[in-house]
Amino acid sequence: MQTDQMSISTTVTSASKLASLDLDNLQFGKVFADHMLVMDYENGAWQEPKILPYGPIEVSPAMAALHYGQALFEGMKAYKNQQGQVQLFRPQANWARLNESAKRLCMPEIPEEVFMEGLKQLISLDADWVPQRAGFSLYIRPFMFGSEGLLGVRPADQYKFMVFCSPASSYYAEPVRVKIEEHYTRAVEGGFGFAKAAGNYGGSLLPAKLANEQGFHQIIWTDGREHNYIEESGTMNVMFVLDGTLVTPALSTSILAGITRDSVLQLARDWGMKVEERRIPIKEIVDAYHSGKLEDAFGTGTAATIAHIKSIMHQDLEMMLLPVAERKFSNKVSQELDNIRYGISPDPHGWMVPVQ
Ligand code: COI
């Protein structure tokens, strides 16, 4: 069926998969909502976006994304509040970060109104896919890639911007064991670690796989120059509470500017907590552990939300953290973020944006 909903041409699926959605047995990223947004960049301009049934797309085997890594993505979420209203969490922040990534990878930026309107219409159409259940949401994956078929190494002149969605609960099913990585490097100053570039994730797979084989859920990356300073974890930013102060690595060209990271820092500041964004030597974490000042450690991310860190391995020392039930800050901030997202607490910073 073809409809002309506002300015976005929409083809509604005739084979919805919604009836087979099983929230009790949901695995992250395995089930996709019925529709997707597609927009092509050609002849120096973004063309009209379209909403289509979710499904395969045709690409050139020579496309730039496959050969030279011109590919980036975003991760964001929609929540259904107690009144059944669907809201996006901080979508403008994702739009801004997507365009920062695009600039670094020589890709065209997306106009804000196209991003916002495209999302709103897509999520409105698939609103029944947004679970109304505590701890659940609709994970949204905007992404862009160089689609021109070319063999020369230069920015492509054709791109695809797409968005699809996947109902989700937590990414990590339990508190995570992490290992401080001192051999492999995720990103260096001057590189593109700050961008949500597909290549950053490809390069992380081997170190993460080796850590998994040793029984760790994730690694904590350290700086690429000395391997002395904490950077971020595989799928999230990382934070510590050291003697009552919330401490996290300062943003740099090698660290992703997480939106959950920013939200946690904002709430901590709202509550009058001392917050420090700075370099964190590994030694400081080890010393804090030995002196009983390592009070909390957790990851922050869209998919991961607030992921409690159970233990941190550094060389031969496994630093065991407090049982999760005894963690004051990470539990409080996790609860408050959820309360804002599900419309239980007020939203003083205007983070929630209705789609309908
Ligand atoms: C996210 O938190 O949205 C991420 O991008 C992490 C991961 C699923 C790749």
Side-chain angles (χ1 to χ4, degrees), residues 28 73-77 94 97 139-141 171 196 201 234-236 256 260 300-305:
F28 184 89
F73 70 95
E74 272 301 318
M76 52 194 296
K77 280 180 173 171
N94 290 94
R97 188 173 66 183
Y139 183 85
I140 305 167
R141 175 52 64 89
Y171 189 76
K196 221 160 160 58
Y201 294 80
T235 51
M236 47 198 188
L256 187 81
T260 311
T300 64
T302 297
T305 62

Side-chain angles (χ1 to χ4, degrees), residues 63 138 174 283 303:
M63 77 168 176
L138 187 70
E174 55 186 359
K283 184 173 180 313

Side-chain angles (χ1 to χ4, degrees), residues 95 110-118:
W95 164 75
I110 308 275
E112 182 176 4
E113 58 282 9
V114 175
F115 184 84
M116 292 301 298
E117 198 48 40

Side-chain angles (χ1 to χ4, degrees), residues 78-79 85-92 116 120 347 350-356:
Y79 295 82
Q85 189 188 28
V86 177
Q87 298 189 312
L88 299 164
F89 182 71
R90 304 193 68 181
Q92 280 94 351
M116 292 301 298
K120 285 182 178 178
D347 174 20
W351 286 339
M352 304 310 295
V353 176
V355 302
Q356 285 146 323

Side-chain angles (χ1 to χ4, degrees), residues 52-240:
L52 301 172
Y54 176 85
I57 55 169
E58 193 166 290
V59 293
S60 161
M63 77 168 176
L66 289 180
H67 299 269
Y68 310 123
Q70 258 195 311
L72 60 81
F73 70 95
E74 272 301 318
M76 52 194 296
K77 280 180 173 171
Y79 295 82
K80 202 171 263 178
N81 68 18
Q82 291 178 316
Q83 291 71 42
Q85 189 188 28
V86 177
Q87 298 189 312
L88 299 164
F89 182 71
R90 304 193 68 181
Q92 280 94 351
N94 290 94
W95 164 75
R97 188 173 66 183
L98 181 141
N99 281 343
E100 286 306 309
S101 301
K103 276 188 239 169
R104 181 61 178 83
L105 294 176
C106 285
M107 298 163 87
E109 293 178 45
I110 308 275
E112 182 176 4
E113 58 282 9
V114 175
F115 184 84
M116 292 301 298
E117 198 48 40
L119 276 176
K120 285 182 178 178
Q121 292 198 21
L122 178 67
I123 310 302
S124 296
L125 183 62
D126 277 343
D128 289 344
W129 283 87
V130 187
Q132 189 163 21
R133 194 191 276 197
F136 285 74
S137 59
L138 187 70
Y139 183 85
I140 305 167
R141 175 52 64 89
F143 63 111
M144 193 204 300
F145 56 92
S147 54
E148 183 192 4
L150 85 155
L151 286 181
V153 181
R154 63 156 169 78
D157 61 17
Q158 290 168 4
Y159 294 86
K160 264 191 198 299
F161 170 69
M162 299 181 59
V163 184
F164 64 80
C165 305
S166 175
S169 59
S170 53
Y171 189 76
Y172 294 107
E174 55 186 359
V176 291
R177 279 185 85 208
V178 296
K179 172 195 153 183
I180 297 182
E181 177 62 56
E182 293 176 286
H183 174 69
Y184 292 103
T185 299
R186 173 183 175 274
V188 289
E189 278 286 337
F192 58 92
F194 71 92
K196 221 160 160 58
N200 283 326
Y201 294 80
S204 76
L205 296 178
L206 176 64
K209 176 170 174 275
L210 296 175
N212 289 159
E213 286 165 3
Q214 296 165 7
F216 301 100
H217 296 89
Q218 261 305 341
I219 45 192
I220 290 189
W221 295 106
T222 52
D223 69 284
R225 195 174 297 205
E226 302 169 62
H227 293 297
N228 268 340
Y229 296 92
I230 304 286
E231 295 250 302
E232 62 175 70
S233 186
T235 51
M236 47 198 188
N237 295 108
V238 64
M239 298 194 181
F240 305 92

